[in-house]
C-alpha cells in the first residue's frame, strides 16, 4: 500500500478549478488533506500558521498566477522568505491558464518552483508529479 502525502495546498481564486482539482486529487487517493486558499495572501497565512495543531504542512502547493490581492508571483516572493519549516516539504507547481512564454521562463528561473503546467490539473499530471518527487510513496 502506498503512503499518502500529509497535505496538498491549492492556491487559486477560481472555485470551479479548485473543485475540479480536489476531485482529481481525491480520486487518486494520494493525500490525507486538501486545503484550498483563494489568493496568495491566504495561502501565505496558512503556511505561517502550520505550527497550529489544526494546520498541516503541505507536501505540494499547486499555485495559480493571476489572482486578486496577492498573485502567484507575489506569493513566491514572500514564500522564499519563510523558514524551511513553513514552506512546502518539496514541491511548488505553478498551474496557470497563461501561455505567455515570459511566465514560463520566469517560473523556470525560480529554484523552488518544480514545474509550470497548464490548467487544469489532470490525473496523469498528478501521477507524474507524485512519481517524480515522491517515488518512495508511489
Amino acid at each position: 500500500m502506498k503512503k499518502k502525502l500529509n497535505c496538498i495546498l491549492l492556491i487559486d481564486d477560481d472555485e470551479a478549478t479548485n473543485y475540479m482539482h480536489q476531485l482529481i486529487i481525491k480520486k487518486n487517493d494520494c493525500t490525507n488533506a486538501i486545503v484550498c486558499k483563494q489568493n496568495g495572501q491566504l495561502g501565505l497565512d496558512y503556511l505561517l500558521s502550520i505550527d497550529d495543531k489544526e494546520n498541516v504542512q503541505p507536501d505540494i502547493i499547486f499555485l495559480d498566477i493571476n489572482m486578486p490581492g496577492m498573485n502567484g508571483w507575489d506569493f513566491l516572493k514572500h514564500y522564499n522568505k519563510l523558514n524551511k519549516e513553513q514552506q512546502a516539504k518539496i514541491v511548488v507547481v505553478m498551474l496557470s491558464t497563461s501561455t505567455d512564454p515570459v511566465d514560463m521562463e520566469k517560473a523556470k528561473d525560480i529554484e523552488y518552483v518544480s514545474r509550470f503546467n497548464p490548467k487544469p490539473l489532470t490525473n496523469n499530471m498528478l501521477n507524474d508529479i507524485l512519481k517524480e518527487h515522491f517515488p518512495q510513496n508511489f
Side-chain angles (χ1 to χ4, degrees):
M1 173 127 185
K2 63 185 178 181
K3 182 181 172 206
K4 292 182 181 183
L5 302 177
N6 287 325
C7 179
I8 294 177
L9 175 59
L10 304 173
I11 303 176
D12 195 315
D13 62 311
D14 186 71
E15 288 184 34
T17 298
N18 283 331
Y19 178 76
M20 188 167 74
H21 291 174
Q22 287 180 77
L23 287 178
I24 288 167
I25 293 166
K26 286 177 184 176
K27 181 180 176 187
N28 192 284
D29 194 29
C30 62
T31 187
N32 293 318
I34 303 168
V35 175
C36 294
K37 299 297 176 183
Q38 282 65 43
N39 65 45
Q41 185 61 59
L42 294 173
L44 190 64
D45 292 345
Y46 177 83
L47 293 173
L48 289 168
S49 66
I50 59 172
D51 290 336
D52 296 349
K53 299 276 188 245
E54 297 173 18
N55 296 333
V56 180
Q57 183 184 33
D59 297 288
I60 301 174
I61 297 173
F62 288 109
L63 177 64
D64 186 24
I65 293 175
N66 298 312
M67 296 177 282
M70 182 185 287
N71 67 29
W73 301 122
D74 291 336
F75 169 84
L76 289 171
K77 288 176 192 170
H78 292 280
Y79 176 85
N80 188 41
K81 296 175 186 173
L82 297 177
N83 66 50
K84 295 300 176 198
E85 291 78 32
Q86 294 171 318
Q87 294 180 353
K89 289 186 181 171
I90 295 183
V91 186
V92 176
V93 176
M94 309 234 18
L95 284 178
S96 180
T97 56
S98 173
T99 56
D100 186 343
V102 172
D103 285 338
M104 292 177 203
E105 285 303 313
K106 188 173 180 179
K108 283 182 187 177
D109 290 339
I110 300 172
E111 71 176 80
Y112 47 87
V113 173
S114 300
R115 300 174 81 140
F116 184 101
N117 286 105
K119 281 186 193 177
L121 178 68
T122 65
N123 194 51
N124 287 339
M125 190 187 309
L126 179 59
N127 283 323
D128 288 346
I129 292 165
L130 294 172
K131 288 176 186 173
E132 178 181 350
H133 295 284
F134 304 93
Q136 70 281 8
N137 297 29
F138 302 95

